[in-house]
Amino acid sequence: PYQVFPAVATPLSIFSEQQGRQSLTVGPRAGEACVEDSLCFFALCPQAVFGANPSANNPRLEGWLPLRIRAKDDRSNHGVGFAGDDEDHDHDDGVELAVLNMKEVDQFGLSLGDESRQAKVIRKGLQVFWTTARELTNIWRSLMSRAGSVFVGIPPEIMWAVAETVQRFEVDVGEIFVQEGDSCQDLLLIEEGVAVVEKAVANGKIPSTVVVGELRPGAVIGDLGLIGSNLSRPCQVRAKSLCEVLRIPASGILAVLSRFPGMLDAVTHRIREAGSFLQTKMPTKNEVLSCLDHFKDCDPTFRNELAAHSKRMLFTVGEIVTDGSLTADDSIYVLERGECLIQNSQTKQEFARISATTCFSVGDTLAGKSKFPGAAVQVLTPHAMLVVICAKGLLEATQRHSDRMQSPFEPEEVLKPSLNLHSLVKSAEIFSKCSPEFVDELCARIEHRSYMPGQTLAMKSGQDASQMFLLRGGALFLERDGKRSTHNSNVLGDLVMLGAVHHREATVRAQTFCFTAEIPRTVFLDAVQNHPTDRRHLEAYGLRVMGDSAIEDEGVVWPMQHQAPKRLGYLLNLFAGRRFYEPGDWQLKALAEDCAVLVVSGEAAIVYDDESKEEVITSGACFNEQVLLGLPGGSAAGDGQFELRTVCELQFVSSEVWSKVISEFPQEQDIVFDVIRRCMADKAAMTKHGYSRGSADVVRMSRLLRSLSDEAVEALKDRFASLVVGPETKISTKGSRDRVLYILLSGTVYVEEGNGASKRRVEHSAGKVWGEAEILGVSKSYNSTVISAKTCILQALRISEFWSVLSDFPLDCALLEPLCMETDSNEDITCLGDRILHSPALEAAISEFVTSVSVHAEDAFYGPGEAVIMFGDHCTYGQSEFYLLLAGDAVFESDLGVEQIRLRPGEIFGEAGALGLASTRIVTVRAPPTGCLHCVRFSGISIQNAFKQFPQEMATFDELYNKRQEINVQFLIRRDEWLEKKAMPALAATSLFRNFDKKFLADVAAPVIEMEYQAGDVIASKACHADSMLILLEGQAQAETQNGQPLGVYRTGSSLGEMAALGLLESRPATIRASTACKVLVVKGRALQRALDLPGRTEAERLAFEGLLAGRREQVARGLPMSALPINIKE
């Protein structure tokens, strides 16, 4: 039972360690010969030496049991030895075989009890051997007990050889392990578990499946007799429970068949029946002849006559098609189905293995010489079908038609071995104008398939290889909207292959037994890539068939297609097809990592690293568009992970595909790329901030720009450019004079400053704005380098665009003018760092301290009335900031909103909270009502690091803090005196407060303020919003109509607007203008409400105030004139 190897032969691997789906090869690698004249065996058991050689890519266990098989000589008693022997050997014919039983092998391993490396390797090898032997034994038993209906009457030893090729694998519940339409011809044996057989049906937009059967343990999927027939799987099989499956590879079966062709003798009749059935369904012999180079251009009547004299023959495995050693054979053979072996008829030396669609001869013929003269041809597959063109019939037909045609033969050349499908491919209109080289490349990679009646070729809206079908034989019918129709053309699916349409428009099934030549989309695209001159013909065909509105009719398209040539959309669809994906599809992760994604239908989500939130995207949304800009996508960009929530139709565009497409539009590239950037900015602005990219809200994300008038902001919103940058890209560079304002819509940027231990990286997320000082002209260059940490989307405004717009708004220019003037006097100041060094507040500090505290300092702008810090905000040393005022007047307010002092440029504020001298902010600091502020914001951690290095500088700030505290105390003393002598008496003199006690008046007066007006100033304007009561403390004012006519005079002690303070009126009834210099007490409605809400307020006081409020409501309802109200107005 053993194979005898000559010493120079390459041994096959004997056993493979089976672990799941991986194999660990034991023994020589593929193609590796044993040293000298020895052969190395691991297990000397029947048929083990015939084991299929595992993949050379698998790891190999080092060390195996080597035995030397010597050439036969007279010293028979020395015939066996270990590989370490160093005796000389003579190489005669034949060998002496070493025979060891399992017991001896095992005892040999146990006898090596030492701990040497060689002993450990041998013991490990024996362990692998026994594990593999047990696994192979189990597989062998399963085949013997459950595959008897397939392998009828096969001896156990041969079944062991089959078992050595088998792979065992597990299938999870719901997993599909047989795909409908798959060309795989392996046999599958279900050992454990239950599976269901499903058939795809067109049901709505997405095909669904129906269960047509159930498979239980022992079921065999596939047919041994159809191996080599190229029949597709008619159904798909899905695991209903956890299944264990044995895969019996078709290649393994054929390998065993080549050694034991008689193993199928018991089922030969069944194979012949299947072959005979196929034989009646094959294309006509005339069609076969038309595919041969020698006959494709011949007269049809010649081919008809030749076909009539040709024979179609069926052979089974092991049969000899022709034996060149017996008689001269000058026939031409065309192999239509199966595989054959061409070998030397005497020595059995293998010449070639040929597969279907091959033309050959074993003798010189009228059509050409044989490449293998005198060779024998034997069938390797269960069956094979050939068309035999007899030399006599060919000669007679040629002679009869010689007067009507030129001889097509070149007998001195070697017979061409393959079928020529050139004319078949050229007959399709889509390829009619293509070059011969293009068609030849398609023919070289065309796939031949067979379909049984009722079998599905393509499913409406289904997923397949987007192949084009060329029907060589048989008939098809189409199913669309519940109706069935006959397909009369031999071409099908050309537009799907082109990408002009994305889905099959109908379900295609075989009406009879059908034979097709199929061109997969990938093969077509490769040919287009290799023959770019043919692309124009194909594009013209697609656009002509579909019409100019093809792209518009597609519905969901890439955003940039709306402003790009229609041909761009066509090319995108040509090179990047659309298909449906289910959640968890194994291809998704890799595709979404490297490609831009368009969601055509369904719902997906972008899940970020922290998994705290996800962004749901639906039809028309895109992901990873930066790939189209040449930037990295997926995890490299930090953009989250793309996942499906439902079944989705998606289109993936790789950078390679996009490069091919966009290179066709050199004139439009800039426009297309700009559209992509703007679309990405639109999405980022909406998802991250809730704004539209081109809205005024995005402009107002800048504190500087939000201080401008609405008209100026509206004019600026269209001047921003959209930018998209990849990770680790310098957006603005320290010292650069680009002078651009940036608004970060999405992504993360960082600034890394400092040296040595003080070097620190600070990150900023979406919403960060910088470059305001640069476009204002205050800074001539950037103070730091800003780098993207991940893919970032920004809006950018150049200084030229900014001032071009602002020149049309003089009031806004006047508002910003004080900020622009701050550095005009010193041309040496170019950036923020220079302004800090020249600041009066820090001129006494040592320069190293200033440098340290300035790390990560940044410009901060505030519009009129905008707060810089708020009273009561929590402060932490090392986190809270302090500020240096560069331009504008900073207004300090108490907790009640009363202005205390105003700081001038060059002063520091916020130091108490930043240095830990106060746990909360003790004042509110804001910009004045009619002006802007420009400050330097110092980072909390930089402040901490600077004082840690230079603690002596703390004394200066302690002194500043104490000075500010003293100022606050003096202010409170003056405030209390003013309240006691002026505010409270003024309140008590009014009709509104005259009946309330002093404590209530003190509570009301606590937040009130005093305003000063010069003669002619407007104190209040008619119809303007009002929420306060005004009391004239000093001076005289006049009430006027809207056109300036006097109504009456207000004198010292007069009041107006108490209805507004009570919330009963929302506007001023008249304009009040100062006749002389005036001081006015302003009592806001919230001051009254605050006094009423204080914990010490009695119920009687609240009731009294409610009664007063009711009386005023009655006055308003009755519409009393101003002169009837007690407000001391004189006509």
Side-chain angles (χ1 to χ4, degrees):
Y2 290 93
Q3 177 80 2
V4 177
F5 290 98
V8 295
T10 300
L12 299 173
S13 296
I14 297 169
F15 273 102
S16 296
E17 181 181 8
Q18 303 275 342
Q19 296 179 346
R21 300 184 183 183
Q22 295 183 349
S23 297
L24 183 61
T25 301
V26 179
R29 293 186 179 91
E32 178 183 341
C34 291
V35 296
E36 300 178 0
D37 62 338
S38 60
L39 285 177
C40 307
F41 295 92
F42 234 112
L44 304 180
C45 57
Q47 304 305 326
V49 293
F50 299 123
N53 199 34
S55 170
N57 295 325
N58 291 331
R60 173 175 177 267
L61 180 67
E62 290 295 335
W64 27 290
L65 177 63
L67 290 176
R68 173 173 296 164
I69 308 300
R70 302 173 187 272
K72 183 177 181 182
D73 57 19
D74 293 336
R75 298 169 294 176
S76 58
N77 58 330
H78 297 294
V80 180
F82 289 107
D85 296 346
D86 54 0
E87 298 179 14
D88 296 329
H89 308 289
D90 297 325
H91 298 281
D92 299 327
D93 293 335
V95 298
E96 287 186 337
L97 186 64
V99 179
L100 299 176
N101 59 41
M102 296 299 180
K103 183 177 180 181
E104 291 172 336
V105 172
D106 203 27
Q107 287 178 346
F108 173 76
L110 295 176
S111 67
L112 295 175
D114 63 273
E115 295 300 319
S116 66
R117 181 179 180 276
Q118 182 183 11
K120 290 179 180 179
V121 168
I122 291 177
R123 283 197 294 272
K124 173 62 177 176
L126 289 172
Q127 182 181 355
V128 172
F129 161 69
W130 285 116
T131 301
T132 305
R134 283 192 294 270
E135 175 67 13
L136 280 174
T137 301
N138 292 334
I139 293 174
W140 176 76
R141 286 173 177 165
S142 293
L143 294 179
M144 291 295 294
S145 61
R146 292 182 168 177
S149 61
V150 177
F151 301 103
V152 179
I154 295 180
E157 292 83 358
I158 298 179
M159 191 66 84
W160 182 273
V162 175
E164 287 182 316
T165 71
V166 173
Q167 303 167 355
R168 174 183 272 120
F169 62 95
E170 288 187 351
V171 184
D172 294 331
V173 177
E175 184 179 349
I176 297 173
F177 60 98
V178 174
Q179 290 283 358
E180 182 176 357
D182 191 0
S183 60
C184 178
Q185 301 178 84
D186 297 344
L187 304 185
L188 301 175
L189 170 63
I190 299 178
E191 275 200 298
E192 300 291 341
V194 179
V196 291
V197 181
E198 298 175 337
K199 186 72 175 174
V201 295
N203 183 16
K205 187 174 182 180
I206 303 175
S208 58
T209 57
V210 294
V211 177
V212 296
E214 188 173 271
L215 301 176
R216 295 189 172 275
V220 177
I221 303 169
D223 193 323
L224 181 65
L226 295 179
I227 293 177
S229 63
N230 294 325
L231 279 172
S232 302
R233 301 279 193 189
C235 299
Q236 72 179 24
V237 183
R238 186 191 303 268
K240 187 177 181 180
S241 63
L242 182 65
C243 294
E244 284 192 8
V245 182
L246 297 182
R247 180 185 300 277
I248 311 172
S251 59
I253 294 174
L254 295 180
V256 177
L257 270 175
S258 66
R259 301 199 306 272
F260 305 102
M263 63 181 282
L264 298 184
D265 285 350
V267 292
T268 299
H269 67 286
R270 195 172 72 190
I271 295 173
R272 284 193 174 277
E273 288 177 0
S276 299
F277 172 77
L278 289 175
Q279 192 173 14
T280 62
K281 308 299 180 181
M282 298 291 289
T284 66
K285 290 179 286 184
N286 193 359
E287 291 173 329
V288 175
L289 294 179
S290 66
C291 292
L292 295 177
D293 273 333
H294 312 288
F295 309 116
K296 62 183 177 63
D297 297 324
C298 292
D299 186 82
T301 57
F302 170 80
R303 285 203 304 267
N304 289 337
E305 182 176 342
L306 185 60
H309 290 84
S310 301
K311 298 181 293 183
R312 176 172 274 135
M313 303 181 67
L314 172 67
F315 297 89
T316 57
V317 61
E319 286 191 303
I320 301 298
V321 176
T322 177
D323 188 347
S325 64
L326 299 178
T327 57
D329 188 345
D330 51 4
S331 298
I332 299 174
Y333 297 87
V334 181
L335 180 60
E336 294 184 285
R337 286 288 178 271
E339 293 183 11
C340 291
L341 172 68
I342 300 180
Q343 59 187 352
N344 187 291
S345 58
Q346 303 297 325
T347 64
K348 305 303 180 184
Q349 179 184 354
E350 179 178 323
F351 291 148
R353 291 175 183 252
I354 56 175
S355 56
T357 71
T358 302
C359 177
F360 66 92
S361 68
V362 295
D364 294 342
T365 70
L366 185 62
K369 293 185 177 181
S370 172
K371 188 177 181 181
F372 310 105
V377 181
Q378 185 178 20
V379 176
L380 295 178
T381 51
H383 74 268
M385 270 179 280
L386 299 96
V387 172
V388 183
I389 305 172
C390 300
K392 181 179 178 182
L394 176 59
L395 179 60
E396 292 177 353
T398 302
Q399 291 173 345
R400 274 192 291 272
H401 292 270
S402 60
D403 58 334
R404 285 179 291 173
M405 69 174 192
Q406 186 177 358
S407 175
F409 309 129
E410 296 178 359
E412 297 303 316
E413 293 188 2
V414 176
L415 188 70
K416 295 181 180 179
S418 60
L419 291 180
N420 190 321
L421 301 176
H422 195 282
S423 58
L424 178 65
V425 175
K426 268 284 192 179
S427 67
E429 184 182 1
I430 183 176
F431 301 125
S432 61
K433 296 183 179 180
C434 291
S435 65
E437 295 78 13
F438 178 86
V439 175
D440 287 341
E441 182 168 344
L442 293 181
C443 293
R445 299 177 61 185
I446 211 163
E447 296 179 359
H448 298 272
R449 304 285 286 276
S450 306
Y451 298 89
M452 295 182 291
Q455 195 169 348
T456 304
L457 279 74
M459 181 62 59
K460 180 181 179 181
S461 300
Q463 305 296 331
D464 52 30
S466 298
Q467 70 269 44
M468 171 182 167
F469 299 89
L470 294 169
L471 187 63
R472 294 186 57 211
L476 304 173
F477 61 82
L478 308 181
E479 293 178 353
R480 184 189 289 113
D481 301 328
K483 298 179 181 179
R484 178 177 293 184
S485 61
T486 303
H487 184 69
N488 298 318
S489 171
N490 71 325
V491 178
L492 185 72
D494 50 348
L495 294 181
V496 174
M497 181 188 68
L498 270 174
V501 296
H502 298 298
H503 307 294
R504 305 287 184 187
E505 297 178 345
T507 297
V508 185
R509 301 191 196 276
Q511 186 172 357
T512 63
F513 210 101
C514 293
F515 299 89
T516 63
E518 300 178 9
I519 306 174
R521 179 176 167 83
T522 53
V523 171
F524 170 73
L525 293 180
D526 288 344
V528 171
Q529 180 70 19
N530 296 333
H531 304 276
T533 55
D534 291 287
R535 184 189 298 175
R536 294 290 179 182
H537 305 308
L538 300 168
E539 290 176 16
Y541 173 82
L543 292 174
R544 177 172 58 82
V545 173
M546 294 301 298
D548 291 336
S549 61
I551 295 173
E552 296 175 3
D553 293 341
E554 287 299 315
V556 178
V557 297
W558 292 89
M560 69 273 189
Q561 286 184 240
H562 297 296
Q563 299 184 42
K566 292 181 179 179
R567 182 167 163 262
L568 182 141
Y570 170 76
L571 290 180
L572 269 180
N573 297 331
L574 172 65
F575 292 110
R578 300 179 178 184
R579 57 161 291 186
F580 288 94
Y581 294 85
E582 295 184 356
D585 192 308
W586 63 272
Q587 301 179 74
L588 274 177
K589 186 174 182 181
L591 288 171
E593 188 79 10
D594 302 324
C595 303
V597 187
L598 171 67
V599 180
V600 181
S601 65
E603 183 178 292
I606 302 172
V607 181
Y608 297 95
D609 294 339
D610 56 6
E611 298 184 355
S612 60
K613 62 177 181 178
E614 65 179 34
E615 178 186 333
V616 177
I617 56 177
T618 55
S619 177
C622 303
F623 172 72
N624 249 9
E625 305 98 299
Q626 66 269 17
V627 170
L628 307 181
L629 301 174
L631 301 175
S635 58
D639 282 348
Q641 186 172 345
F642 182 80
E643 296 181 359
L644 300 188
R645 293 291 175 263
T646 64
V647 175
C648 291
E649 184 182 5
L650 306 174
Q651 185 176 30
F652 290 96
V653 177
S654 67
S655 57
E656 293 80 8
V657 166
W658 177 248
S659 296
K660 286 192 290 188
V661 171
I662 198 63
S663 64
E664 296 287 317
F665 306 91
Q667 303 299 324
E668 296 89 355
Q669 283 188 13
D670 291 341
I671 297 175
V672 172
F673 286 137
D674 187 56
V675 172
I676 294 172
R677 286 188 285 266
R678 282 191 276 120
C679 291
M680 294 182 68
D682 278 330
K683 182 174 69 171
M686 185 57 65
T687 57
K688 298 293 185 182
H689 310 284
Y691 307 142
S692 172
R693 172 192 58 84
S695 68
D697 294 314
V698 172
V699 179
R700 292 191 179 101
M701 291 174 67
S702 162
R703 290 182 181 273
L704 174 67
L705 301 185
R706 79 171 63 141
S707 65
L708 302 177
S709 63
D710 291 343
E711 295 78 12
V713 169
E714 286 293 325
L716 280 171
K717 69 182 184 182
D718 297 324
R719 298 301 184 98
F720 279 82
S722 299
L723 301 179
V724 182
V725 299
E728 300 301 323
T729 301
K730 291 182 179 180
I731 302 172
S732 58
T733 306
K734 184 175 182 177
S736 170
R737 295 187 176 234
D738 288 344
R739 303 171 86 173
V740 180
L741 180 146
Y742 295 97
I743 299 176
L744 183 62
L745 296 180
S746 72
T748 303
V749 298
Y750 69 89
V751 178
E752 199 168 58
E753 291 185 354
N755 298 307
S758 64
K759 188 174 183 179
R760 189 168 55 87
R761 168 172 167 163
V762 174
E763 292 193 349
H764 303 278
S765 56
K768 171 67 177 175
V769 179
W770 74 96
E772 293 164 306
E774 283 70 24
I775 66 160
L776 197 59
V778 175
S779 289
K780 298 179 177 61
S781 63
Y782 292 105
N783 190 58
S784 57
T785 298
V786 180
I787 305 173
S788 58
K790 56 178 68 173
T791 297
C792 293
I793 304 173
L794 309 98
Q795 291 292 89
L797 177 66
R798 292 194 165 273
I799 186 172
S800 56
E801 296 284 349
F802 175 69
W803 286 110
S804 173
V805 170
L806 230 60
S807 62
D808 296 331
F809 300 94
L811 293 180
D812 292 293
C813 291
L815 177 68
L816 299 180
E817 185 177 4
L819 304 182
C820 300
M821 297 296 290
E822 66 180 80
T823 58
D824 282 357
S825 59
N826 193 339
E827 291 296 328
D828 294 332
I829 296 177
T830 61
C831 63
L832 179 64
D834 295 337
R835 294 201 299 279
I836 295 173
L837 287 172
H838 289 81
S839 168
L842 296 171
E843 61 183 359
I846 59 177
S847 60
E848 291 82 359
F849 168 78
V850 177
T851 301
S852 180
V853 80
S854 300
V855 173
H856 294 296
E858 56 186 5
D859 293 288
F861 291 86
Y862 299 89
E866 193 171 3
V868 183
I869 57 179
M870 290 295 295
F871 177 90
D873 284 350
H874 182 74
C875 299
T876 303
Y877 182 49
Q879 297 180 13
S880 301
E881 305 97 347
F882 67 63
Y883 300 81
L884 170 64
L885 184 59
L886 296 178
D889 294 339
V891 179
F892 278 49
E893 296 177 351
S894 68
D895 59 328
L896 298 176
V898 178
E899 182 178 330
Q900 296 178 338
I901 59 171
R902 290 196 177 197
L903 290 188
R904 302 293 297 167
E907 296 192 66
I908 286 175
F909 62 91
E911 74 288 343
L915 299 179
L917 303 175
S919 59
T920 59
R921 299 293 188 184
I922 56 179
V923 293
T924 294
V925 181
R926 68 175 73 249
T930 58
C932 298
L933 286 185
H934 180 197
C935 308
V936 179
R937 182 167 51 233
F938 293 93
S939 164
I941 188 65
S942 296
I943 295 170
Q944 186 181 38
N945 290 338
F947 282 104
K948 185 177 180 180
Q949 296 178 58
F950 307 96
Q952 67 274 21
E953 296 294 332
M954 185 65 78
T956 303
F957 286 84
D958 285 338
E959 182 181 347
L960 177 62
Y961 172 70
N962 293 330
K963 182 180 178 181
R964 295 268 171 82
Q965 287 293 88
E966 184 178 345
I967 293 173
N968 289 342
V969 170
Q970 294 299 320
F971 168 78
L972 292 175
I973 292 173
R974 293 194 304 273
R975 174 75 177 174
D976 290 342
E977 183 179 354
W978 177 81
L979 289 173
E980 185 71 26
K981 294 182 178 181
K982 285 195 173 184
M984 291 173 60
L987 289 174
T990 65
S991 61
L992 185 62
F993 296 110
R994 65 177 50 155
N995 296 323
F996 290 93
D997 61 17
K998 186 176 180 180
K999 185 175 185 307
F1000 182 79
L1001 294 178
D1003 292 337
V1004 173
V1008 300
I1009 58 174
E1010 180 184 286
M1011 300 292 293
E1012 295 185 1
Y1013 299 91
Q1014 300 300 317
D1017 290 346
V1018 175
I1019 299 174
S1021 298
K1022 178 179 172 61
C1024 287
H1025 176 72
D1027 63 353
S1028 60
M1029 172 182 176
L1030 306 178
I1031 302 173
L1032 195 60
L1033 296 179
E1034 295 180 11
Q1036 181 176 301
Q1038 177 176 282
E1040 300 175 350
T1041 63
Q1042 194 167 1
N1043 58 8
Q1045 296 298 317
L1047 292 174
V1049 177
Y1050 289 96
R1051 303 185 186 280
T1052 300
S1054 299
S1055 64
L1056 69 146
E1058 66 174 43
M1059 295 299 184
L1062 294 173
L1064 302 178
L1065 291 178
E1066 294 183 352
S1067 61
R1068 302 294 184 191
T1071 296
I1072 311 299
R1073 188 184 302 275
S1075 302
T1076 65
C1078 296
K1079 291 184 178 181
V1080 178
L1081 189 68
V1082 181
V1083 185
K1084 292 188 175 290
R1086 63 174 178 266
L1088 298 180
Q1089 192 61 50
R1090 172 187 171 278
L1092 289 171
D1093 292 341
L1094 289 174
R1097 200 89 298 129
T1098 64
E1099 189 64 26
E1101 290 174 321
R1102 290 193 177 91
L1103 291 175
F1105 192 84
E1106 287 293 333
L1108 178 65
L1109 188 59
R1112 295 296 190 268
R1113 284 199 186 99
E1114 184 180 354
Q1115 288 178 338
V1116 173
R1118 289 164 57 191
L1120 293 179
M1122 291 179 61
S1123 58
L1125 297 176
I1127 55 177
N1128 297 332
I1129 186 171
K1130 304 296 183 182
E1131 296 182 0

